[in-house]
Structures are given as C-alpha cells and as structure tokens.
Amino acid sequence: MTDALDTVFAALADPTRREILRMLLEDDMAVTDVAEPFDMSLAAISKHLVILTRAGLISQEKRGRVKWCKLEPDALRAASVWMQGFGQFEPVNLDAFERFLARELDADGREGG
C-alpha cells in the first residue's frame, strides 16, 4: 500500500496534475480538451496524464479516434483515508492545503529576506 500512496502523492505534487483532476471532476474529457487551457504542448500534457494514470487517479480509453480521460476517485480516497488515520485531519481539501502551504512559504520568505 505504501508504494501506491507514494505514487498518488507524487502525482498530486504537481499543480498541473491537480488542475487536470479538478477538471475531470466535471465529466470525462478528451485529451485535447484537457490540454486546451494549458500553455504547454500536447506531448507535455500526455506525460502528466501518464503519471495520473499510473497512480490510478484517472483512466484513459480510446473511443473511436479520440482518447478520453476519466477520474478514478478510489486512489484519492485511499490517500484521504490514510491522512485521516492521523486523527487530526478533516477530510482533505487539497486546494485549501495548497493555499496554506503558499502562505507558509511566503511568510518564511518574508522572515528570511
């Protein structure tokens, strides 16, 4: 289980991948639609999708000529259950956690500068 969690947390470490997951909360999306809002190549987005797929966070399937992405929430659920096991965490809001980290890092930068 530790390897699976490591893979999930590594996948979640990147803001582009977190945004892709957020987008897929709405509905399944074609790979080209996933890539559209990002200022990067389709090849770069495909690499992010491979990481998310390996982590079990999304699945991909070909429908006709189009490759589709679908959110697979079980991998996130396992990570959330793991964090809740510490007893001090509410159900995890990853956006709020990211904002907290940004504030903390910004505060450290001001103190050190």
Side-chain angles (χ1 to χ4, degrees), residues 75-112:
L76 273 179
R77 189 172 298 118
S80 180
V81 166
W82 181 84
M83 288 192 296
Q84 290 173 27
F86 289 96
Q88 58 195 13
F89 293 103
E90 295 295 318
V92 177
N93 178 329
L94 295 175
D95 289 332
F97 184 60
E98 183 178 2
R99 287 190 298 271
F100 167 77
L101 288 176
R103 284 193 307 271
E104 289 297 308
L105 292 172
D106 187 48
D108 287 345
R110 283 195 308 255
E111 291 171 9

Side-chain angles (χ1 to χ4, degrees), residues 23-93:
M23 291 166 50
L24 291 173
L25 276 171
E26 303 293 323
D27 201 1
D28 298 358
M29 296 178 75
V31 169
T32 53
D33 294 333
V34 170
E36 188 176 313
F38 298 100
D39 187 24
M40 62 180 71
S41 69
L42 188 56
I45 288 295
S46 292
K47 288 180 182 180
H48 285 293
L49 295 175
V50 165
I51 292 168
L52 291 170
T53 301
R54 285 184 184 153
L57 294 168
I58 68 168
S59 60
Q60 296 184 63
E61 74 172 317
K62 199 154 188 171
R63 299 180 198 161
R65 293 181 166 182
V66 180
K67 196 170 203 179
W68 287 81
C69 300
K70 177 184 177 186
L71 184 67
E72 298 292 345
D74 286 340
L76 273 179
R77 189 172 298 118
S80 180
V81 166
W82 181 84
M83 288 192 296
Q84 290 173 27
F86 289 96
Q88 58 195 13
F89 293 103
E90 295 295 318
V92 177
N93 178 329

Side-chain angles (χ1 to χ4, degrees), residues 7-19:
T7 305
V8 168
F9 285 123
L12 294 173
D14 184 87
T16 299
R17 292 191 288 269
R18 290 193 305 271
E19 180 60 18

